[in-house]
Amino acid sequence: MEAAEKKELLSLMPSELEAWMLEAGEAKYRVSQLFPQLHKGLSPEEMTNLGRRLQEKLQASFFWHLPQVEQKLVSALDGTVKYLFSLADGNCVESVVMRYEHGNTVCISSQVGCRMGCKFCASTIGGRVRNLTAGELIGQVIAAQKDLGERISNIVMMGIGEPLDNYDNVLRFLRLVNCENGLNIGYRHISLSTCGLVDGIERLMEENLPITLSISLHAPDDETRSAIMPINRRWGVDALLDACRAYFTRTGRRISFEYTLIAGKNDSVSNAQKLARVLNAKLRSRTETMPIHVNLIPVNEVSETGFRHSSRDAVNAFARTLESKGIRATVRRRLGSDINASCGQLRRAAMKNAANGTPAADTEEV
Ligand code: SAH
């Protein structure tokens, strides 16, 4: 059987593995041996406690591949680790591990490339190649944990790709990482970031998973937002904030907003005033107050986009304006700035170098 026709072992839930075991004439309890080892990053070949016969059956029926470390960069400033992982078909994605006092957080990619077309983002140049499978999504967490030899306790889906554009695999992944016998990462320790696919937000709220939703807003009005984020032409700011409100009402989970500050595009005090006005108007009423938190991120300059980041004064003035209107704002500390930890750029560098036939270069870009 060709590898492509076989089911991917890392994508399967314990209940699905149990069903397979029964069909294969094996005992159900075998899953309690198989699943934890799989999620520690072992291949079926390495699981000698399963016995030769079961190992062979697994190899005959399933396809197994863990993302391979192609490049690993460690920040000398804060210990942030950035991985370029290769997948079974040779495509590459990036994952970043950030070290906090409360534990390790991994930022994972959800697609190979992205088709959302945000003008400031490196991941979208070249479009979407394909979705990642649930096994490739969890594989990034497992491979990073295995390489570091330390537990990863938090996940953010803020890497390459739009998670809600890969809805089914992402949902399967969320359920997989939450399994007790596997990584056992609680939903409250997982954040999912979206550029604003309202249909996906509406589906997600019905799942009622207590994950944290993060919205990449980046502009307070349709004109400004549509100019930098094409998705806004499908769902405008009003529709997006209505979906946020419904999400909060339904799940009780707070939503955080990301706002990337780009010099001269969306970073004026009047943009901040508008932002405060629209957030307060849409998300706060007399009866119900949704906690609103805005993360301000000076845009990470990508050579292809030509956008410049805002001055420190502009960032501070923006934050002060929001705060004065009752909106909590934090200026995001940039971790791993010496290794260019923000996503998309390592993959692009590797793709360019592959095209040139030279080995992938270090990613330093000043
Ligand atoms: N597609 C999802 C998640 C991936 S991007 C989303 O849009 O939310 C993760 C975050 O990085 C988003 O807020 C995105 O807008 C932001 N981002 C992308 N390119 C950036 C850049 N050059 N500088 C700063 N933030 C950027």
Side-chain angles (χ1 to χ4, degrees):
M1 211 188 296
E2 287 301 310
E5 293 166 19
K6 294 183 187 175
K7 271 203 172 156
E8 190 188 13
L9 199 49
L10 270 173
S11 285
L12 297 180
M13 295 292 290
S15 58
E16 294 166 325
L17 291 169
E18 280 178 9
W20 178 84
M21 288 287 178
L22 292 179
E23 229 168 77
E26 300 284 341
K28 237 164 74 168
Y29 82 89
R30 290 298 205 167
V31 176
S32 59
Q33 295 178 307
L34 169 64
F35 193 77
Q37 295 189 92
L38 262 184
H39 288 224
K40 285 199 179 84
L42 269 68
S43 71
E45 255 168 55
E46 293 170 300
M47 301 179 196
T48 45
N49 64 338
L50 294 183
R52 199 69 229 135
R53 193 197 56 215
L54 177 52
Q55 284 178 297
E56 276 166 13
K57 280 191 201 172
L58 286 167
Q59 279 160 16
S61 301
F62 296 107
F63 157 76
W64 178 91
H65 185 267
L66 201 63
Q68 295 293 304
V69 180
E70 288 297 320
Q71 274 189 69
K72 177 182 176 182
L73 303 170
V74 183
S75 166
L77 301 175
D78 51 41
T80 298
V81 184
K82 178 159 188 166
Y83 293 101
L84 181 71
F85 284 126
S86 62
L87 309 170
D89 66 355
N91 275 303
C92 286
V93 291
E94 295 172 34
S95 314
V96 179
V97 177
M98 294 155 288
R99 274 88 176 346
Y100 297 109
E101 260 161 42
H102 60 264
N104 293 318
T105 295
V106 67
C107 172
I108 63 161
S109 296
S110 54
Q111 297 176 314
V112 180
C114 184
R115 57 174 177 170
M116 295 297 122
C118 300
K119 297 277 197 292
F120 45 83
C121 181
S123 306
T124 205
I125 304 167
R128 182 187 67 171
V129 177
R130 67 171 176 86
N131 283 330
L132 294 186
T133 64
E136 289 169 332
L137 293 166
I138 197 168
Q140 296 170 66
V141 187
I142 296 170
Q145 184 164 276
K146 191 175 174 185
D147 180 76
L148 286 177
E150 287 173 41
R151 179 172 149 80
I152 287 174
S153 49
N154 294 273
I155 300 173
V156 296
M157 303 197 80
M158 289 193 179
I160 297 169
E162 166 52 49
L164 297 182
D165 189 38
N166 181 16
Y167 190 91
D168 292 336
N169 292 338
V170 164
L171 252 284
R172 177 175 275 273
F173 156 76
L174 293 173
R175 298 207 157 99
L176 271 174
V177 285
N178 189 242
C179 286
E180 251 177 53
N181 285 332
L183 295 178
N184 195 19
I185 299 179
Y187 291 122
R188 284 165 207 279
H189 296 268
I190 303 174
S191 293
L192 184 152
S193 181
T194 177
C195 65
L197 272 67
V198 166
D199 57 351
I201 296 172
E202 285 169 353
R203 262 180 96 183
L204 190 63
M205 77 177 102
E206 296 307 322
E207 317 276 353
N208 216 353
L209 303 176
I211 59 169
T212 301
L213 186 62
S214 191
I215 304 287
S216 298
L217 193 57
H218 305 325
D221 59 71
D222 285 336
E223 197 189 336
T224 315
R225 194 163 192 267
S226 293
I228 51 175
M229 300 178 74
I231 191 69
N232 197 70
R233 290 188 212 122
R234 175 104 188 258
W235 289 286
V237 173
D238 267 10
L240 177 56
L241 294 179
D242 283 343
C244 290
R245 189 187 175 98
Y247 186 92
F248 175 72
T249 308
R250 176 93 168 82
T251 65
R253 296 291 296 162
R254 73 181 172 85
I255 293 177
S256 63
F257 293 94
E258 309 293 314
Y259 197 105
T260 293
L261 290 159
I262 310 169
K265 298 273 180 206
N266 64 356
D267 67 339
S268 67
V269 165
S270 106
N271 289 142
Q273 284 165 341
K274 255 193 210 167
L275 179 63
R277 208 177 309 132
V278 72
L279 290 176
N280 279 326
K282 290 298 241 176
L283 305 177
R284 289 175 162 164
S285 67
R286 247 171 248 158
T287 52
E288 195 180 42
T289 304
M290 175 171 152
I292 305 177
H293 192 118
V294 178
N295 286 311
L296 297 172
I297 312 146
V299 76
N300 181 34
E301 295 177 0
V302 177
S303 49
E304 287 93 334
T305 67
F307 288 163
R308 314 295 302 171
H309 62 70
S310 307
S311 68
R312 185 171 295 203
D313 282 352
V315 175
N316 290 338
F318 202 98
R320 273 199 310 274
T321 306
L322 291 181
E323 296 274 357
S324 75
K325 312 270 180 211
I327 302 224
R328 277 178 41 215
T330 324
V331 179
R332 204 39 105 62
R333 195 160 55 105
R334 266 192 77 202
L335 291 174
S337 51
D338 56 332
I339 54 165
N340 214 343
S342 308
C343 269
Q345 308 203 41
L346 198 54
R347 175 172 166 260
R348 283 201 56 70
M351 278 163 61
K352 275 189 204 158
N353 286 319
N356 294 340
T358 50
D362 230 339
T363 55
E364 200 84 13
E365 196 180 273
V366 190

